[in-house]
Amino acid sequence: MAWQKEVVRAPSDVVRPTRVESSAHAIRFGPLLFVTGQSGRRLEDPEYSADPVEQARQCLENIGAILRAAGSSYQHVLKRTIVVRDRTSTA
C-alpha cells in the first residue's frame, strides 16, 4: 500500500489564507497529518494583538480549524512545537 500526499487547506473565511497559493495549511501523508506553522493574527485584523495571551488563543483556534478541515481534532495530536518570539508581557 503506497501512501499518497494530500494538500489540506482550511476555509479562507475561518483561517487566513497561506501566503503562496500553492502552499497548504497541512499535508496529509497516509494516516499522518502535518500542520504548518500558524501565527496568532486574527482573520479580520491586519495587525497582531498586543496581548500575547490573545495571540496564543488565536493561534490555537487557527490550528483547530485546520484540524477540522482535515477531518481531525486536537485529541489526535501527538506532537506540537511552540515558538515564542518575545516572552515579555504587557500584562
Side-chain angles (χ1 to χ4, degrees), residues 8-30:
V8 176
R9 289 186 184 88
S12 61
D13 63 330
V14 178
V15 177
R16 189 173 289 278
T18 57
R19 291 183 187 191
V20 179
E21 182 60 34
S22 62
S23 61
H25 290 115
I27 298 291
R28 181 186 315 281
F29 189 67

Side-chain angles (χ1 to χ4, degrees), residues 4-71:
Q4 298 294 316
K5 177 178 152 181
E6 175 191 348
V7 172
V8 176
R9 289 186 184 88
S12 61
D13 63 330
V14 178
V15 177
R16 189 173 289 278
T18 57
R19 291 183 187 191
V20 179
E21 182 60 34
S22 62
S23 61
H25 290 115
I27 298 291
R28 181 186 315 281
F29 189 67
L32 304 175
L33 182 69
F34 299 89
V35 177
T36 61
Q38 294 298 305
S39 70
R41 190 165 54 181
R42 292 170 38 126
L43 181 63
E44 63 276 2
D45 292 337
E47 301 295 325
Y48 289 92
S49 167
D51 181 4
V53 173
E54 171 61 24
Q55 286 188 38
R57 185 196 59 73
Q58 185 61 51
C59 182
L60 292 171
E61 283 186 18
N62 293 345
I63 293 169
I66 294 165
L67 291 169
R68 286 189 300 281

